[in-house]
Structures are given as structure tokens and as C-alpha cells.
Amino acid sequence: MAKHVLLTGPPGIGKTTLIQKTIEVLRPSVGPIDGFYTEEVREGGRRIGFDVVTLSGRRGVLSRIGSSSSVTRHEYRVGQYVVDLASFEQLVLPLLRYADLDSSGVKKVCVIDEIGKMELFSQPFTQAVRQILSGSGTVILGTIPVPKGKPLGLVEEIRNRKEVKVFSITRENRDSVLQDVVTAVQNCLK
């Protein structure tokens, strides 16, 4: 039986929007929901990076466009984006580290949007996600990228876990799959 629910699909297909709609539906009827999602940052109609936004409304930089002349050995890059690991970890790690620590026995939902290339530069993030996946008190509702290029270890590990339900999101199903995702999360909470 599934213990976690993840969405996958190409960039811009609507995974984050679907996560947000799922939270809206679940919030009145389930225990605590915490976590984060990523949001595009635009300037003058052009995407300049991504921010991490917690469900409580705190915001931090995930990445920004970096100049090719600023490349240093300690810089983490995905394409044109420079990942701000310190900002990401400062905001996200406390959420994940305490996700499974609840003595009430009530299962809770932790939103992790997304478990992708930028986020996986952080070893503490990778360890925290693995810990939640192996624990029993928290259900991950998250997103993972579609396989492209070199496989991402943790993403493939998640995709192949039998206790993870993965929904492939497409233009055709993104509006009709909401109830299936909600039901899958509710089943994980039982």
C-alpha cells in the first residue's frame, strides 16, 4: 500500500498548481500540512530564477540566473541558474527535520515540491527526504522531474519504491486527476 504520493511530468505542466489544489481540498479534513513549493521568479516577463515558498508563507531564494564569468568552484549550477544552497537549506531543512517528530500519533502531510536537480545538490536535504520516506508518521506529497539525461539517484530510488504512488501529469489529465491525488493522499493517512 502507498505511503507517499508524488507527481511527475514536464516542467510547466501544472504539478505545483495541482499540489496547491490538493492542499486546499485536504486542509479542512486532515492533520497538519507543512512543507514547501517552488515558484518561478520573473522580471520584465522573463524568468530570472526560482524561490522556495513554505506553506506558512516564508520565502527564500532557490536560484537565480548567474553570469558565466562568475563561475567558481563552490557554485552549484543547473543550466543558467546558480543555486543558493544556503538560502534553500536554511528555509527547508527545519521543515523536513521536524516533519516526522510528532508524539501525537497523528500522521501528517509534508509537501516537497520539488525533489529535483537543484534541491539534490544539498546532501542534508537528500538525507532528510530519505528519512521521511522510511518513517511512518509523515506522508510526502511531492513532485519529481521526468527522467531526462543522467538519472538523479534519489529520484530514481523514489520512482522505484513500491510504497510510492506516482502520478504522471499531462495536459490532458492535469485538470481531471485532482480527486485521484486527494484520494491517494487520504489513503496514505489511514
Side-chain angles (χ1 to χ4, degrees):
M1 185 165 139
K3 291 170 43 178
H4 306 285
V5 177
L6 285 117
L7 312 179
T8 190
I13 203 73
K15 298 180 296 292
T16 299
T17 302
L18 187 54
I19 292 256
Q20 291 168 328
K21 288 179 180 178
T22 302
I23 294 166
E24 281 176 37
V25 173
L26 288 172
R27 203 168 241 145
S29 64
V30 302
I33 301 177
D34 209 350
F36 72 93
Y37 60 92
T38 54
E39 193 174 81
E40 277 188 1
V41 178
R42 293 186 163 273
E43 204 172 75
R46 182 173 160 249
R47 183 168 70 197
I48 61 163
F50 296 91
D51 277 357
V52 174
V53 183
T54 68
L55 297 188
S56 63
R58 293 182 58 220
R59 176 181 289 269
V61 173
L62 174 58
S63 67
R64 291 294 184 270
I65 291 177
S67 69
S68 54
S69 63
S70 72
V71 177
T72 67
R73 277 183 306 167
H74 303 294
E75 205 170 72
Y76 296 97
R77 296 179 76 94
V78 175
Q80 64 183 340
Y81 299 102
V82 177
V83 179
D84 187 335
L85 221 48
S87 169
F88 172 71
E89 289 180 345
Q90 183 180 9
L91 199 58
V92 169
L93 290 179
L95 295 173
L96 301 183
R97 287 199 176 120
Y98 300 111
D100 232 8
L101 299 176
D102 188 354
S103 57
S104 70
V106 174
K107 281 190 179 180
K108 51 187 168 181
V109 176
C110 183
V111 173
I112 305 178
D113 173 37
E114 98 173 52
I115 303 167
K117 201 176 222 174
M118 289 184 189
E119 296 82 3
L120 293 177
F121 282 124
S122 168
Q123 285 307 305
F125 172 78
T126 301
Q127 291 167 346
V129 171
R130 279 195 173 111
Q131 190 170 346
I132 296 170
L133 283 166
S134 301
S136 59
T138 302
V139 175
I140 293 176
L141 171 60
T143 64
I144 53 177
V146 291
K148 184 178 117 189
K150 184 179 174 221
L152 300 171
L154 181 60
V155 172
E156 293 313 304
E157 182 184 314
I158 290 169
R159 194 182 309 281
N160 293 317
R161 286 182 100 133
K162 60 184 178 299
E163 74 274 15
V164 173
K165 171 77 174 149
V166 179
F167 287 90
S168 289
I169 307 306
T170 64
R171 286 208 193 309
E172 294 73 37
N173 75 359
R174 69 181 178 195
D175 296 323
S176 61
V177 76
L178 174 62
Q179 190 52 55
D180 294 338
V181 173
V182 168
T183 300
V185 174
Q186 288 169 329
N187 288 339
C188 291
L189 289 166
K190 291 179 180 169

